[in-house]
Amino acid sequence: MHGTQAPKEDPISAPPRFGVNYTPRRGWFHAWHDFDPAAAREDLAQIADLGLDHIRVFHLWPLLQPNRTLIRSAAVDQLVGLVDLAAEAGLDVMVDGVQGHLSSFDFYPSWTQTWHQRNVFTDPGAVQAQAELLRVLGRAMAGRPNLIGLQLGNELNNLVEHNPVTVEQVDAYLDTLLAAARDGLSGGRPGLLATHSAYDAAWYGDDHPFTPEASARKGDLTTVHPWVFSGDCARRYGPRSPQVLHLAEYGVELAKAYADDPARPVWVQETGAPEPHIPAEAAPDLARATVLNAADCTGLWGVTWWCSHDVDRSLADYPELEYTLGLFDSAGAAKPIAHALAETVAQLRKNPPAPAPRDSALVLDCTPATRSVSGPGGAFFETWMRLREQGARPAVVLASRAQDAPYLAARGITELLRP
């Protein structure tokens, strides 16, 4: 075994988990068209040899469900096979169901497009088809001992531009799909996770229909994807700035503010070092700082780096930053950032983090129409970062909860700070 054993009965537990989003080295996600177990086994061994304990995996929606009422058993079997290969390497697996969106490309089945145009969030037939896909995937994998759980899909809010939707419709969509995922996983061991994810517009985008409340209150934990290009963070402040090095930590604390449950865990599920926002020579330091700073947050489920392998430049039309995000290059060689991440994870495994509660909190007062104050360039964001640079460890509290004494006590907060 290269990595760790299967997860405990309760996968929401300390110490934090550290893993990587798996991007196949040969053919990127187009590798699903002709899945090669030997190539996947090689990739997974490289990941496990870094000391990481889990991967997040993605199949392509059109290959899984080419017709609204057809789910291809061969494609499901491929996905189950990858989970089993990960187990051989000692890696646990989180499976994303509806892809959806990956690395600037959208993957729609033909039955949602052209003459059969359907809004994937609101059309009853489309929503029920996605729900059935999640049930099938859950049932196929729930018995695997290395399964962490099932996520609805990767950053589904990237699809809102072509599928107009309201906040209320998003909430109904997420509730329907989460119920289906839980139904599919119900035959597995206790504690399998049903989750969803969104890119940063859910937290920073004024009036974006995927809300912070949905991210922080639906599903079994909160996932955050704090990217340094969101809000032009790295270009605005600099690739080695506190704003960049503490971005994932800030994302965790912001997410905790919107949760109803003060103890709800947060998973830094995507974060990375995209060139040219982060020059290659700065990437190892970013990886170290990102993981260490996130580990200073209570309630951190884990950190999952994006991504395992670079996109081969023989593949066309990706944004430049997508080609060099891997821990391994397209020939399979570990890059300096891989070694930095492995060393940092080993350090945290040797001395598991035990962060103290944050007893001071910065009060966030915003509406859906002014949510951008909490993103890069916003007044709240800059105040939080200034306090952090001065050595403080501020939590975040919504203004609506600033007078809620039991809630503040549950989070260990004794001092409120105003921007």
Side-chain angles (χ1 to χ4, degrees):
M1 299 281 275
H2 297 271
T4 63
Q5 299 298 314
K8 302 174 182 177
E9 283 297 299
D10 178 9
I12 303 179
S13 58
R17 311 287 302 272
F18 300 103
V20 69
N21 292 276
Y22 174 47
T23 49
R25 179 169 73 86
R26 298 174 181 86
W28 190 66
F29 296 105
H30 304 302
W32 288 113
H33 286 270
D34 47 359
F35 180 64
D36 182 348
R41 185 178 280 113
E42 181 181 321
D43 291 345
L44 297 172
Q46 292 174 333
I47 292 168
D49 284 343
L50 293 179
L52 302 177
D53 60 49
H54 71 274
I55 57 173
R56 180 171 163 234
V57 303
F58 317 85
H59 209 311
L60 299 180
W61 188 11
L63 298 184
L64 285 164
Q65 196 172 36
N67 182 273
R68 186 166 61 86
T69 57
L70 171 64
I71 297 170
R72 294 178 57 239
S73 59
V76 175
D77 290 345
Q78 288 177 334
L79 193 49
V80 174
L82 181 60
V83 174
D84 290 342
L85 290 173
E88 292 178 13
L91 295 165
D92 300 331
V93 182
M94 185 68 172
V95 174
D96 274 42
V98 180
Q99 267 63 249
H101 176 88
L102 290 164
S103 300
S104 87
F105 287 94
D106 293 342
F107 293 91
Y108 291 105
S110 60
W111 54 267
T112 69
Q113 298 290 287
T114 61
W115 290 2
H116 300 269
Q117 185 71 42
R118 295 172 182 266
N119 186 311
V120 300
F121 299 124
T122 62
D123 180 87
V127 174
Q128 288 307 314
Q130 293 169 75
E132 183 60 19
L133 174 59
L134 290 164
R135 286 190 197 93
V136 169
L137 294 178
R139 289 167 186 160
M141 293 178 290
R144 263 49 190 185
N146 64 322
L147 184 71
I148 295 170
L150 183 60
Q151 181 153 275
L152 304 188
N154 178 55
E155 296 188 343
L156 290 167
N157 62 325
N158 269 296
L159 306 181
V160 301
E161 182 176 350
H162 303 110
N163 298 268
V165 64
T166 67
V167 169
E168 293 76 18
Q169 289 167 333
V170 167
D171 286 348
Y173 171 82
L174 294 175
D175 289 343
T176 298
L177 267 59
L178 284 166
R182 290 187 176 112
D183 182 32
L185 294 171
S186 61
R189 71 179 189 284
L192 290 173
L193 300 178
T195 65
H196 68 102
S197 73
Y199 82 96
D200 287 343
W203 304 97
Y204 309 151
D206 292 338
D207 290 320
H208 189 74
F210 279 69
T211 65
E213 290 84 358
S215 287
R217 300 173 192 177
K218 295 181 185 296
D220 295 325
L221 50 69
T222 304
T223 66
V224 294
H225 294 188
W227 280 102
V228 300
F229 49 71
S230 293
D232 230 11
C233 186
R235 286 178 172 152
R236 184 188 299 269
Y237 301 107
R240 299 179 185 272
S241 64
Q243 291 84 352
V244 166
L245 301 182
H246 290 276
L247 185 64
E249 174 192 356
Y250 172 76
V252 173
E253 295 301 325
L254 180 63
K256 287 159 65 174
Y258 283 96
D260 286 331
D261 177 4
R264 180 177 167 96
V266 181
W267 180 355
V268 179
Q269 195 179 61
E270 284 186 24
T271 187
E275 297 182 50
H277 301 264
I278 306 297
E281 63 271 16
D285 288 342
L286 172 68
R288 292 187 193 95
T290 293
V291 172
L292 291 174
N293 290 332
D296 191 45
C297 298
T298 59
L300 177 73
W301 184 91
V303 178
T304 310
W305 201 259
W306 188 282
C307 57
S308 64
H309 294 79
D310 283 353
V311 177
D312 194 298
R313 288 190 178 274
S314 65
L315 296 173
D317 301 329
Y318 293 79
E320 180 59 29
L321 66 86
E322 297 288 350
Y323 284 103
T324 55
L325 277 168
L327 300 176
F328 300 89
D329 66 23
S330 59
K335 295 156 62 174
I337 190 173
H339 299 300
L341 185 63
E343 291 163 4
T344 306
V345 168
Q347 172 187 336
L348 290 170
R349 293 248 171 80
K350 183 177 181 181
N351 299 295
R358 299 181 179 223
D359 55 11
S360 64
L362 190 63
V363 177
L364 173 59
D365 190 0
C366 70
T367 68
T370 61
R371 203 181 293 156
S372 56
V373 299
S374 61
F380 181 89
F381 177 91
E382 294 193 340
T383 299
W384 191 96
M385 287 294 178
R386 184 167 59 253
L387 290 167
R388 193 70 184 93
E389 191 174 5
Q390 293 168 354
R393 298 172 63 248
V396 179
V397 166
L398 299 182
S400 60
R401 287 179 168 148
Q403 305 303 318
D404 186 342
Y407 168 82
L408 297 176
R411 292 190 60 191
I413 293 169
T414 59
E415 180 185 19
L416 295 179
L417 309 172
R418 303 283 176 174

